Amino acid sequence: MISLHTTRVRRRRLGVAAAAAGLFAALLTAAPAAATPDPGDAPAERGSVTTSQQAEARAAIRGGEIPGVDEIVHSSNIKHLTNVPKGALKGLNTDLAFQGKYAYVGNYDGFVIYDISNPKKPKTVSEVLCPGSQNDISVSGNLLFLSTDSSRSDDSCSSTTQPATEKSSWEGMKIFDISNKRQPRYIAAVETACGSHTHTLVPDGKKNIYIYVSSYSPNETFPDCRPPHDGISIIKVPVNKPQKAKIVNFPVLFPDGGNPGAPTNPGVTKTSGCHDITVLPSKDLAAGACMGDGILFSIKDPERPKIIDRVQDNVNFAFWHSATFNQGANKVVFTDELGGGGAATCNEQIGPKRGADGIYDIVGKGDQRKLVFRSYFKIDRHQADVEVCVAHNGSIIPVKGKDLMVQAWYQGGISVWDFTDSAKPKEIAFFERGPVTLSQVTTAGPWSAYYYNGHIYSSDIAKGFDVLKLTDKRTDPAAEVKLDRLNVQTQPDYFAR
């Protein structure tokens, strides 16, 4: 273990090599990247590194500036309780959901259910083989929802890869019955345009659940994913008859086509749909991270969302990836997935503003509300050029009067940070592993890191399932907030219970 002070000493060196400067230029001029590593059903591609990059990383390890290969370091206020390595499912771990004493972890090969009644010793309850990237996951009652965003031969869990250029190919939402956690049962599927990269549950009383499906990157050669694709698919699921789930609307969120991207806005991905949406049902609000745009919209009528405001950052944001409200619903944190989740972007050369979180205040009332930029936040623990590092999925840590967040950064690890002052965010805790290897650029590290009932849970892309305990007077009150479920993109009102 190392202290925050000791770790800050090592932050001054990495990322100044010429190779890093080359990467920065490439990120600015390359064609738009996919929002996450999208290897289909195969392992993620591993990029080569130069001998000088390897030498620099080895020197940084010897000098204590970065952790050694697979070495764990963390601030003194975080304890690593356990890691559960991958079992039968060897694909990339993805998102997390929670329900009672269970945690659900998506994986490119399917999903895993863990019993976390003892957070120090999670137990694997079941592993379900159902390939189809990226298997974004959420749960409600006895239903589990799984996103498929790779072209498949059919909608079954035994499907194989098939080109999206073939009309018979399938992508979309899958629905499982999880009343028996040991034997989840696949019960329904809904095909959606351009697949389902991510999805968000929008509850509507006890009878129905709406699913906002985010997908993007249409192509004229794809029969089921042709441009324009300027909106989201909305699925209505009758809770008691999920087999009758169907698409009820495809609202166009960008009637003007959205951000045109490069060459008009160099380094920015053209908007052709949304990557992720977070809803705050208690306030009838949603925030969308939509490639080249960030949006705020009303979900008072869940079948007909209404745009309130829209913002762009064509200087420092490359790909609007995800969104998180604060508890007071007067701020939104948007993340930028610079490099598409496949590049080393946490270094000195790229700097603190690109590949960062953008903190926006929500000012005004009703339909006159506006998103107003306040500041950026990015971890300043520089990573080696062999480490893919990017702002990724996180959640609020519920403490009254404070705006605290835990967030995954791939091989940048896990960061706990305070944005109570929107203009002056600061990190207050961290956990990370050293490089997976020094010979290749690898996609690894935490995909998601969420706070749930007193602990931080993380799905590590390569290493499995991690549980952490955060002990800090600034965050300790959050342990008093007990939830019976958590789908982070369906953000709860933590204190209305």
Side-chain angles (χ1 to χ4, degrees):
M1 183 192 309
I2 60 175
S3 69
L4 277 166
H5 175 76
T6 302
T7 298
R8 285 196 179 110
V9 171
R10 75 166 177 84
R11 296 177 184 174
R12 295 177 295 184
R13 180 172 179 271
L14 274 180
V16 297
L23 170 63
F24 183 56
L27 288 170
L28 284 176
T29 59
T36 60
D38 192 15
D41 304 313
E45 291 291 329
R46 297 187 173 191
S48 62
V49 295
T50 65
T51 54
S52 63
Q53 286 174 315
Q54 293 183 49
E56 183 185 10
R58 291 191 179 97
I61 291 171
R62 288 194 300 270
E65 294 163 344
I66 65 170
V69 173
D70 282 342
E71 179 187 0
I72 291 176
V73 296
H74 53 85
S75 55
S76 58
N77 52 357
I78 276 186
K79 183 177 181 181
H80 186 215
L81 298 184
T82 192
N83 169 264
V84 183
K86 292 179 184 177
L89 304 183
K90 302 301 184 183
L92 283 68
N93 274 349
T94 59
D95 209 7
L96 287 161
F98 304 90
Q99 188 182 57
K101 66 176 185 179
Y102 297 102
Y104 303 80
V105 181
N107 180 286
Y108 271 59
D109 289 337
F111 65 92
V112 183
I113 303 177
Y114 293 100
D115 182 336
I116 55 171
S117 52
N118 180 355
K120 295 180 180 179
K121 295 181 178 180
K123 297 178 180 179
T124 302
V125 177
S126 59
E127 300 184 75
V128 177
L129 179 65
C130 196
S133 65
Q134 52 188 12
N135 281 335
D136 192 53
I137 194 167
S138 59
V139 292
S140 179
N142 288 326
L143 300 178
L144 180 146
F145 304 91
L146 205 64
S147 286
T148 300
D149 193 36
S150 59
S151 186
R152 311 293 301 179
S153 57
D154 56 51
D155 64 2
S156 73
C157 284
S158 58
S159 66
T160 57
T161 57
Q162 182 168 289
T165 52
E166 296 188 23
K167 177 61 179 173
S168 62
S169 295
W170 185 91
E171 300 179 67
M173 289 298 309
K174 294 171 181 169
I175 305 174
F176 291 78
D177 183 326
I178 52 170
S179 52
N180 182 347
K181 304 294 187 294
R182 295 188 178 277
Q183 293 184 319
R185 184 168 56 93
Y186 181 24
I187 57 173
V190 179
E191 187 172 13
T192 55
C194 301
S196 174
H197 195 73
T198 66
H199 69 268
T200 304
L201 301 189
V202 183
D204 183 40
K206 296 181 179 180
K207 293 183 178 181
N208 300 300
I209 297 169
Y210 288 97
I211 307 175
Y212 287 179
V213 176
S214 296
S215 57
Y216 53 92
S217 294
N219 189 299
E220 289 287 359
T221 67
F222 299 164
D224 298 319
C225 181
R226 288 191 172 121
H229 183 76
D230 298 321
I232 57 174
S233 297
I234 298 181
I235 299 172
K236 185 176 182 178
V237 183
V239 173
N240 295 327
K241 295 181 180 180
Q243 296 85 349
K244 293 189 175 183
K246 64 180 182 180
I247 295 174
V248 293
N249 197 10
F250 186 89
V252 174
L253 303 178
F254 303 98
D256 65 350
N259 197 318
T264 303
N265 297 315
V268 179
T269 303
K270 172 181 168 60
T271 298
S272 61
C274 289
H275 179 276
D276 212 338
I277 292 170
T278 293
V279 298
L280 191 59
S282 62
K283 304 294 185 182
D284 289 330
L285 275 180
C290 302
M291 308 180 73
D293 295 88
I295 57 175
L296 181 71
F297 56 102
S298 167
I299 57 169
K300 190 172 184 178
D301 181 346
E303 288 190 22
R304 298 169 183 82
K306 179 182 178 182
I307 301 296
I308 296 173
D309 194 28
R310 169 181 157 195
V311 290
Q312 296 178 354
D313 180 345
N314 295 320
V315 175
N316 290 311
F317 259 48
F319 190 102
W320 295 67
H321 174 274
S322 53
T324 303
F325 288 99
N326 69 333
Q327 178 59 35
N330 59 2
K331 299 176 187 177
V332 181
V333 174
F334 289 103
T335 67
D336 174 22
E337 196 178 45
L338 176 67
T345 66
C346 298
N347 53 40
E348 185 176 354
Q349 184 64 38
I350 289 178
K353 294 182 179 180
R354 288 185 59 78
D357 297 322
I359 304 166
Y360 286 75
D361 284 353
I362 302 173
V363 300
K365 296 181 179 180
D367 291 349
Q368 302 305 311
R369 284 172 286 190
K370 298 292 182 182
L371 291 164
V372 179
F373 173 78
R374 294 302 188 200
S375 66
Y376 297 104
F377 171 78
K378 185 177 182 181
I379 59 171
D380 58 356
R381 290 171 284 107
H382 292 152
Q383 308 297 305
D385 287 334
V386 298
E387 295 181 279
V388 171
C389 177
V390 70
H392 224 245
N393 296 343
S395 76
I396 290 296
I397 299 176
V399 175
K400 286 186 176 180
K402 298 287 185 181
D403 293 325
L404 306 169
M405 186 171 176
V406 59
Q407 185 177 4
W409 287 80
Y410 277 26
Q411 288 187 77
I414 295 169
S415 177
V416 179
W417 57 289
D418 184 333
F419 63 104
T420 306
D421 183 342
S422 301
K424 296 180 180 179
K426 58 183 179 181
E427 184 175 77
I428 62 174
F430 73 90
F431 168 91
E432 70 169 286
R433 289 181 171 91
V436 173
T437 176
L438 300 184
S439 62
Q440 295 173 310
V441 179
T442 56
T443 298
W447 178 290
S448 298
Y450 298 147
Y451 187 92
Y452 178 69
N453 291 351
H455 292 82
I456 293 171
Y457 296 90
S458 169
S459 54
D460 189 288
I461 295 167
K463 299 295 184 181
F465 183 57
D466 287 303
V467 186
L468 311 175
K469 181 66 176 178
L470 175 64
T471 304
D472 189 291
K473 64 181 181 180
R474 293 164 290 191
T475 60
D476 288 346
E480 300 174 6
V481 178
K482 300 298 182 183
L483 303 179
D484 56 7
R485 63 189 178 279
L486 179 63
N487 298 298
V488 169
Q489 286 73 37
T490 307
Q491 200 167 314
D493 184 338
Y494 287 95
F495 303 111
R497 57 196 65 249

